[in-house]
Amino acid sequence: MSFHAVVVAAGSGSRAGGPKQWRLLAGKPVARWSVEALLDAGAEAVAVVIPAGAEAEAEAALAGLPRWFPVRGGAQRAHSVRNGLDALADRAPEKVLVHDAARPLLTRRVVEALVKALDEADGALPALPVADTLKRAADGQVTGTAARDGLYRAQTPQAFRFKALVEAHAAWTGAEDPTDDAQAIEAAGGRVVLTPGDPRLMKLTYPEDFEMAEALAGQVRELRVGQGLDAHRFGPGDGVWLCGVKIASDLMLIGHSDADAGLHALTDAVLGAIGEGDIGDHFPPTDPKWKGASSDRFLEHAVGLVRARGGRLVNVDVTLVCERPKIKPHREAMRARLAEIMGLPLDAVSVKATTLEKMGFTGREEGLAAQAVAMVELPRS
Ligand code: MG
């Protein structure tokens, strides 16, 4: 499934009381929900259209996500969409999805149906039949009942053959901008079909809509947890690598790679959270390629697998078990290095240390051990 996407996040949000695209919904910026969902569904690139001067907010909201770039918005939505399409033009995409960031609870199923529908149409949009009776009223008094047969509520993303949409926008001659992109295609005589909409794909318009969306958010994303354990033996050396930091010592840890047990336990925890086996499956110790390798690469790889699924790490917690070296003087450097490798804020990264009161192999100082847990958020399958 190959497609590109434009996410319009250029609104000032006057009705929602301030720009809503950067507000947190269930702990995550509104715009991030959509971009993650599109990446999860396989978007090759996502042009995110943002207001002038909002580059820092966008970078913060979408930190760590691959394959997206910011585009400056226009005065009206249609103008913003055209800027997004222009920014994708040199990639010559065949199919493009145009989505409003104000509809954060997007699922892969909706995207897949849209992309497939384009095999037989110029455009496709998710829609829900109108279930409520429609009343016409003036001054609070009913003046009539409208027939609802054949009426649908249009949602986004809307999907188009890229060339058809660019040409339809260029050919639009209406006095007002089209209400949505499908209208431009309709006016140009193109064929637009409906795909099943999703009630969770509600639009955040008013402040109270956030409450409803918060309640629905757990149906779209899920939390996973993984744990990892590793141990390595000491030998004579010039320093011990732990959690990406080299601690000067007359010891070293013995292993095929740099034997950083902290990074190995954490890598296994991340892989465990997404059911991706263990570090040995991805970096076999029999492969000479990994001899003496710096273990930050293993963790980066695991974090990359999470991101490739449209997921993100939420937090990690590492416990180092040893009599020596003393961990405390190096703990903050370790946290900072792990946060850097994983693209996490510092308060989402914990490193702790304990001894086992001189008992067992760590007590005899034969080696050290590390254990880790990682929490990951993924699109619900
Ligand atoms: Mg190991």
Side-chain angles (χ1 to χ4, degrees):
M1 197 169 67
S2 166
F3 66 96
H4 288 64
V6 174
V7 171
V8 183
S12 62
S14 46
R15 279 181 297 186
K20 61 195 164 200
Q21 60 272 49
W22 317 129
R23 262 183 70 178
L24 295 184
L25 174 73
K28 189 160 63 178
V30 165
R32 189 175 181 106
W33 283 86
S34 302
V35 177
E36 281 181 346
L38 290 161
L39 291 172
D40 170 51
E44 287 176 44
V46 183
V48 181
V49 189
I50 60 172
E55 286 77 10
E57 281 111 317
E59 288 290 343
L62 303 175
L65 295 181
R67 309 198 301 282
W68 73 275
F69 59 93
V71 176
R72 177 72 62 90
Q76 304 296 331
R77 184 184 179 282
H79 188 181
S80 290
V81 171
R82 285 193 289 266
N83 287 359
L85 296 175
D86 284 348
L88 289 174
D90 59 357
R91 295 163 191 261
E94 194 191 333
K95 299 175 176 181
V96 66
L97 267 60
V98 181
H99 184 50
D100 291 333
R103 296 183 187 271
L105 302 182
L106 175 60
T107 62
R108 189 198 296 217
R109 178 182 291 190
V110 168
V111 174
E112 283 174 350
L114 287 166
V115 173
K116 186 156 183 287
L118 284 186
D119 291 340
E120 314 268 324
D122 304 299
L125 60 92
L128 293 168
V130 175
D132 299 321
T133 299
L134 295 177
K135 292 293 184 191
R136 204 166 275 116
D139 297 327
Q141 187 180 315
V142 172
T143 59
T145 299
R148 68 183 181 207
D149 293 354
L151 288 185
Y152 289 85
R153 295 193 285 137
Q155 301 181 314
T156 75
Q158 299 188 346
F160 305 96
R161 307 221 133 252
F162 185 81
K163 193 161 165 283
L165 182 60
V166 170
E167 287 171 2
H169 269 291
W172 179 261
T173 53
E176 306 258 323
D177 280 334
T179 319
D180 64 1
D181 302 285
Q183 197 185 1
I185 295 274
E186 294 156 32
R191 177 165 183 262
V192 180
V193 297
L194 300 184
T195 60
D198 186 333
R200 296 171 296 192
L201 202 44
M202 58 181 285
K203 188 173 184 178
L204 299 175
T205 305
Y206 302 102
E208 53 270 30
D209 294 339
F210 274 79
E211 236 171 88
M212 172 98 78
E214 291 264 355
L216 293 172
Q219 297 186 7
V220 175
R221 308 278 294 185
E222 65 186 7
L223 290 173
R224 302 278 198 88
V225 69
Q227 62 95 30
L229 174 68
D230 194 34
H232 282 273
R233 188 180 288 276
F234 286 132
D238 67 344
V240 172
W241 279 98
L242 271 178
C243 295
V245 171
K246 189 173 186 182
I247 302 174
S249 169
D250 57 354
L251 297 173
M252 66 178 287
L253 290 169
I254 299 167
H256 188 66
S257 65
D258 63 10
D260 187 327
L263 284 180
H264 294 180
L266 189 47
T267 302
D268 266 356
V270 175
L271 292 172
I274 56 173
E276 275 280 356
D278 64 26
I279 194 168
D281 295 331
H282 295 263
F283 305 97
T286 49
D287 188 337
K289 194 163 54 171
W290 309 119
K291 183 157 177 49
S294 169
S295 297
D296 48 5
R297 296 168 61 180
F298 306 156
L299 182 57
E300 271 166 11
H301 173 77
V303 173
L305 292 176
V306 173
R307 285 187 188 138
R309 294 185 181 200
R312 67 171 184 124
L313 275 170
V314 178
N315 73 306
V316 301
D317 187 14
V318 181
T319 302
L320 302 170
V321 184
C322 56
E323 299 290 335
R324 64 175 182 144
K326 289 292 166 224
I327 301 302
K328 201 167 183 186
H330 308 284
R331 211 162 72 174
E332 290 313 305
M334 291 175 176
R335 289 179 69 206
R337 179 63 189 131
L338 293 179
E340 184 183 29
I341 296 169
M342 294 181 289
L344 278 177
L346 198 57
D347 69 353
V349 178
S350 161
V351 174
K352 311 195 300 300
T354 186
T355 71
L356 291 185
E357 300 284 341
K358 303 279 184 193
M359 295 181 289
F361 72 90
T362 66
R364 294 188 297 272
E365 301 187 18
E366 294 167 8
L368 58 71
Q371 67 176 27
V373 289
M375 180 159 282
V376 163
E377 187 199 64
L378 285 183
R380 196 176 274 281
S381 46

